Amino acid sequence: MEILQIAGFSLVATFLALIVKEQKPNFAFLLIVFVGCAIFLFLVDQIYAIIHMIEKIAINAKVNIVYVETILKIIGIAYIAEFAAQITKDAGQGAIAAKIEMGGKILILAMAIPILTVLIETIIQMIPS
């Protein structure tokens, strides 16, 4: 029940940040950033296990590992961009958050093009001439 630990830790930090925010808003923001990073670090082992499991499934299915790694990188970019955008929004910088999200989307598109190319080529080969 790791979610209970995460939720409990987050709620305590939230209440503490609300109390501290009245006196020291900068410190409250740093507390929230620290909690977000701590939660991410708490989940690193789970993330590693998921990646390892997906790689084993891909190897067993004889899928080219390059494609699996690319998809995992795309997922990583999406999570990192979302995390950074949320922190930036919490700091009151919505415009910068929007640019982070746009940058993440562009990087995802750039990484997906080789996979899309192979997919289109495969479909074209399946079509009878």
Side-chain angles (χ1 to χ4, degrees), residues 8-23:
F9 182 64
S10 300
L11 289 174
V12 168
T14 300
F15 294 135
L16 184 59
L18 288 173
I19 293 169
V20 172
K21 189 175 186 177
E22 296 174 6
Q23 301 296 323

Side-chain angles (χ1 to χ4, degrees), residues 55-75:
E55 287 177 343
K56 283 173 63 175
I57 291 170
I59 290 169
N60 289 340
K62 295 181 174 71
V63 174
N64 191 339
I65 198 70
V66 172
Y67 301 131
V68 174
E69 288 176 352
T70 302
I71 290 171
L72 290 173
K73 287 177 185 177
I74 288 170
I75 293 168

Side-chain angles (χ1 to χ4, degrees), residues 59-124:
I59 290 169
N60 289 340
K62 295 181 174 71
V63 174
N64 191 339
I65 198 70
V66 172
Y67 301 131
V68 174
E69 288 176 352
T70 302
I71 290 171
L72 290 173
K73 287 177 185 177
I74 288 170
I75 293 168
I77 289 170
Y79 280 125
I80 291 168
E82 177 69 19
F83 181 75
Q86 289 298 324
I87 296 268
T88 309
K89 285 178 187 174
D90 288 345
Q93 299 297 322
I96 295 174
K99 304 312 181 277
I100 292 170
E101 290 171 347
M102 182 181 65
K105 290 173 186 176
I106 290 170
L107 290 172
I108 288 170
L109 179 61
M111 292 193 79
I113 287 175
I115 294 174
L116 291 172
T117 302
V118 169
L119 183 63
I120 290 170
E121 289 173 356
T122 304
I123 291 171
I124 289 173

